[in-house]
Amino acid sequence: MSNQDRVQQEIEKLSQKKRKQMNSLERVRLLQLKLYQKAKQEEEYKFYVLYDKLFLDHVLEEAYKRVKAKGGSPGIDGQSFSDIKAYGEEKFIKEIKEDLRKRTYKPQPVKRKMIEKENGGHRPLGIPTIRDRVVQMSCKLVIEPIFEADFDDSSHGFRPKRSAHDAIREIRQYLKSGKHMVYDADLSNYFDTIPHDKLEIALKERISDPRVLDLIKLWLKVPVVEEDGRYTGGKKNRKGTPQGGVISPLLANIYMNLLDRIVNKASGYYHERGIRMIRYADDFILMARQMSQDTILRTHRLLDRMGLIVNEEKSKLIRATETSFDFLGFTVRYDRSLFNRNSKFWNIMPSAKSQKRVRQKLNTTLKRIGHYPATEVVDELNPIIRGWMNYFTIDKVCYTRVSFRKLDDYLRYRIPRYYNRKSQRRSSLHGQQAYDLLTSFYGLIKPFRSSGIRPVNTL
């Protein structure tokens, strides 16, 4: 059954239910399927009337549910989800609806927070208010299926029913088919360098409703409040979409789709040379049996015309049979089999950087939690361990035994150090085999015991 047939089947199934019996998710899903089907059937069609759908009751209700489910800290107004609950969630949503209906809605400035990167630098994270996140989500719910109809299969990041694991599987398939030349590209500050004028052109290929376009412009031009209280950006801003905004990943994909179309064009330069691209948001690699320097220069010129900056120090062309490469937290390496020295295989495993990052996160957490009781220590550590392990065990895309053993060894070393500090003398675990006690009696996840079996659900 084709994708189009599955969409039509789901539309008919949802349409058979009486509207009053459908919950907000089902009604939003039906709307999305119809928009997707229209966009898929008519590649040149432009949607003229979309804005009114943004403030439909079920769209706003579903938007609020999704924003609330993701959680997150308050924006510049300090309003939290608990504050909204005390105020009245229905009243809060109704006020947003009226602002959108009357077109009096104006986004508030974005609060900037600097997140430390593994290389020692910092990444700016923009935190909109919850109110603005709800409106962005309602817009995303409406326009995403339209652009999903245009997105290429080589794109895996920030898309429904797609993940990093799909990208890794595709890489493995291309390697097995003989595409061993890999160009690993690195873009500098992609989200901060997207040109607004060129992004608008990409949006207008499908959206002709000026009200929706004006709304997106407001989010792109919204001022940023720095950590020191300074206001930056605003109307003079000509590029960038704040990382942390609900709609930012979608806008980033819409713009990078321009690159996807050129590289994957059936009669184009790249396709004729057997070059394939795998992309996850702004991270992408090119793969082929052979790849010339001319291809790299052509790609750089293309990205330059798009207003994007290639980090040439971090970008590299390698032969995967001779040199390993990292992508999305995984290391891909051509290894010799332990059982047959004349045989080699494609070994995919958690990267050294990813392993270092989880150790740093655990170390930072142990320094922060101080005198917590054992049960609370476990509550703090388990989500970190579980999240990292699940990323590498879901779908069984890589070999985890060695890296999980290393994480187990680190915890076995680090947790006794935590409990043997002078400040922990009153703890019953001071001077004890703390790691074994936490894993045996308090439910701390033991990585090596769980490795290579299934996603970890230990509580």
Side-chain angles (χ1 to χ4, degrees), residues 110-113 124-128 224 242-245:
V110 170
K111 182 172 70 173
R112 175 163 288 175
K113 184 177 181 181
L125 181 68
I127 305 174
V224 174
Q243 291 189 65

Side-chain angles (χ1 to χ4, degrees), residues 131-150:
R131 176 174 171 270
D132 291 333
R133 299 202 302 257
V134 171
V135 180
Q136 287 189 26
M137 180 62 80
S138 71
C139 183
K140 179 177 180 285
L141 290 173
V142 172
I143 71 172
E144 184 175 54
I146 296 169
F147 289 99
E148 267 294 317
D150 297 335

Side-chain angles (χ1 to χ4, degrees), residues 359 362-363 406-415:
R359 291 194 299 267
L362 289 166
N363 186 52
K406 287 181 179 179
L407 180 59
D408 190 271
D409 290 342
Y410 173 76
L411 289 168
R412 186 175 293 280
Y413 155 78
R414 183 65 182 85
I415 287 178

Side-chain angles (χ1 to χ4, degrees), residues 278-294:
I278 299 96
R279 183 173 67 82
Y280 189 95
D282 58 320
D283 293 320
F284 73 92
I285 60 174
L286 301 178
M287 303 182 69
R289 290 180 180 273
Q290 296 294 331
M291 199 181 308
S292 66
Q293 196 62 32
D294 179 64

